[in-house]
Amino acid sequence: MENSNTTITVIGAGLTGPLVSVYLAQHGFSVDLFERRPDIRNTNIPAGRSINLALSRRGLYALENIGLGDAIKKMVIPMKGRMIHRKDSSLDFQPYGKDESEVIYSISRAELNRVLLSKAEAMETVSIRFNAKCLGADLDRQTVTIEKNGHAEEIEFQFLIGADGAGSSVRESMEKSGMVQFDFEPLGHGYKELAIPQNDSGDFALESNVLHIWPRKSFMLIALPNLDKSFTCTLFLPQSGNPSFESLKEAPDILEWFSVEFPDAIPLIPNLSDDWNANPVGNLGTVRCSPWQANEHSILIGDAAHAIVPFFGQGMNAAFEDCTVLNTLFEKGNNIESACKEFSEYRKSDADAIADMALENYIEMRDKVADPEYLNLRKIEKILESEFSEEFIPRYSMVSFHRIPYSEVQRKGNIQKQIIEAVSRASGDEPIDLTLAKKLIAEKL
Ligand SMILES: Cc1cc2nc3c(=O)[nH]c(=O)nc-3n(C[C@H](O)[C@H](O)[C@H](O)COP(=O)(O)OP(=O)(O)OC[C@H]3O[C@@H](n4cnc5c(N)ncnc54)[C@H](O)[C@@H]3O)c2cc1C
């Protein structure tokens, strides 16, 4: 199929759908993009649904590539590290990178979605239909059923991309037809959003250029800054047991629990009870499916293919990197069929790797960041990074500040962990043994 004679049907105009549509249009395709919700540019966002996100190198790269770099830089707040809030209200700052050029960025999900929609809409060959819900796809007959204004219509497609998120209807159709295998692994923990407004002087109520974490072993609270000088807090907590979203229902219990667990956060969240009652508990889990392709003319992308838990701040970044990978395959001269086939084969191991690392990072964030043993290993990691900067890049940095494939990051990260532990054991309370470190790095990395 010639690109200019081909229309790609994309389901879902969240974060990934508009971005992939722009890339497709740049390669000459026409794109019909269907979104079940109204146009977010004309609507208010319901409270309590992941208001801000951490954007890092992979996501930024994909956005820069479609000319949105400058627009995005005006929309973000750099976060240079974690600010740990201990139970006694003392603070501990842990930088993310080797210097202040290595930061991650807090960005509003809604604003990013708006900018992406406008960029996609400005492409001559992209048309977006809102309030248009995909009810399912017939992959053999190459049709999708779209419901609009209460009417369901069957529409033929030449090529279909499911960018319709973790609960993807396209993936469900692929699974029902026996073409893909799907597994959802629930985390058992959910999340609820709460708000820290500006302080009385109209300023940020907390240090603004960091990601705040209140780690409490089996649960945690985090806060990311917003451009209007508020913070969005997210409480991650088990769904059942004690404490849990099930056990904490009544306002007095919630306030009492917060005053014990997060004493310094209490005065910052004036509407705690109201937010708690108004905002839903979101579910978290990992979507694994294989393959991401059905027949020769449909694929899944973004969360539809590989939703992950949010603890590495990589779900959107990975989804945007999917678009970069597809774009690179087109640039190499692939047609839509071969690009998508290669994409789903090549990218799967990277998606699996970041899914695993995101699960591991929950334990790191909620438990280990306040643990002296962990802090000692991180200290060694920083020393190795500064002494052997060519060979040794900490795993967090490889994920957040580089575009090294996730599967490679996971492989190298495991080896580096062994090196750090071996150096720690050998050095004891003495300064670290750099000769041993050099030898291990040369042998193993
Ligand atoms: C609490 C939380 C915090 C997160 N924090 C981060 C972070 O800091 N950094 C990061 O990189 N990632 C983060 N993520 C992950 C990130 O939100 C997702 O990876 C990202 O939104 C995936 O984009 P997507 O376009 O694939 O899916 P979505 O953003 O879910 O978009 C899917 C779109 O498809 C539409 N749709 C769904 N079904 C249909 C249908 N049947 N017909 C038509 N349209 C349909 C939806 O309305 C939606 O607009 C977080 C996730 C959560 C839950």
Side-chain angles (χ1 to χ4, degrees), residues 96-98 102 385 393-402:
Y96 280 133
K98 60 178 183 310
E102 292 192 335
E385 180 186 26
I393 307 170
R395 185 173 86 162
Y396 184 88
S397 302
M398 287 194 277
V399 168
S400 303
F401 311 129
H402 293 258

Side-chain angles (χ1 to χ4, degrees), residues 20-200:
V20 76
S21 300
V22 173
Y23 276 122
L24 291 166
Q26 285 178 345
H27 288 284
F29 296 101
S30 296
V31 182
D32 284 341
L33 178 53
F34 295 92
E35 166 58 47
R36 73 175 170 194
R37 292 182 309 200
D39 188 342
I40 195 175
R41 291 168 296 177
N42 313 323
T43 38
N44 288 326
I45 318 300
R49 280 285 173 200
S50 171
I51 290 169
N52 52 23
L53 303 162
L55 174 71
S56 51
R57 185 69 211 127
R58 294 165 202 266
L60 197 53
Y61 179 86
L63 295 167
E64 284 167 351
N65 245 344
I66 58 159
L68 285 181
D70 289 342
I72 297 296
K73 276 179 198 132
K74 293 187 193 131
M75 295 164 53
V76 298
I77 299 182
M79 298 182 289
K80 53 191 189 219
R82 297 165 171 157
M83 185 67 85
I84 307 300
H85 294 243
R86 299 201 195 88
K87 228 166 160 176
D88 64 5
S89 299
S90 62
L91 300 175
D92 177 28
F93 174 65
Q94 301 174 2
Y96 280 133
K98 60 178 183 310
D99 56 41
E100 293 204 359
S101 70
E102 292 192 335
V103 295
I104 59 173
Y105 300 96
S106 177
I107 189 163
S108 152
R109 175 194 288 272
E111 287 309 318
L112 177 57
N113 203 169
R114 289 183 179 122
V115 167
L116 281 166
L117 285 170
S118 295
K119 180 78 190 178
E121 206 170 52
M123 306 297 291
E124 224 172 89
T125 58
V126 176
S127 85
I128 312 179
R129 253 119 337 145
F130 295 98
N131 300 305
K133 182 179 180 184
C134 174
L135 299 179
D138 185 326
L139 300 151
D140 290 323
R141 290 174 50 240
Q142 291 184 229
T143 60
V144 279
T145 303
I146 301 290
E147 184 185 67
K148 198 162 167 50
N149 302 326
H151 296 289
E153 190 189 349
E154 203 176 50
I155 297 172
E156 288 183 6
F157 67 79
Q158 285 178 282
F159 200 96
L160 178 67
I161 298 187
D164 49 348
S168 169
S169 64
V170 176
R171 189 190 60 230
E172 196 181 310
S173 299
M174 289 178 173
E175 193 200 358
K176 277 189 185 147
S177 67
M179 293 176 188
V180 308
Q181 306 242 311
F182 160 71
D183 177 56
F184 178 73
E185 184 193 328
L187 181 68
H189 292 217
Y191 71 95
K192 190 184 272 286
E193 293 201 341
L194 306 162
I196 297 182
Q198 296 174 356
N199 64 16
D200 291 342

Side-chain angles (χ1 to χ4, degrees), residues 213-232:
I213 310 183
W214 289 257
R216 296 294 182 265
K217 293 197 182 290
S218 62
F219 55 91
M220 69 175 177
L221 182 70
I222 66 168
L224 272 74
N226 297 310
L227 282 181
D228 66 1
K229 300 191 175 176
S230 66
F231 285 84
T232 303

Side-chain angles (χ1 to χ4, degrees), residues 223-299:
L224 272 74
N226 297 310
L227 282 181
D228 66 1
K229 300 191 175 176
S230 66
F231 285 84
T232 303
C233 289
T234 312
L235 174 68
F236 295 98
L237 184 69
Q239 297 278 19
S240 57
N242 199 4
S244 69
F245 284 116
E246 208 176 70
S247 71
L248 289 163
K249 286 262 188 278
E250 307 301 327
D253 297 344
I254 292 150
L255 288 172
E256 196 193 319
W257 184 69
F258 256 75
S259 64
V260 173
E261 296 297 343
F262 312 114
D264 59 333
I266 283 258
L268 304 173
I269 313 176
N271 298 322
L272 178 56
S273 304
D274 291 346
D275 281 0
W276 189 280
N277 290 331
N279 294 346
V281 175
N283 275 324
L284 295 169
T286 305
V287 164
R288 289 193 176 85
C289 89
S290 174
W292 295 351
Q293 185 174 29
N295 289 346
E296 296 232 296
H297 28 247
S298 53
I299 57 159

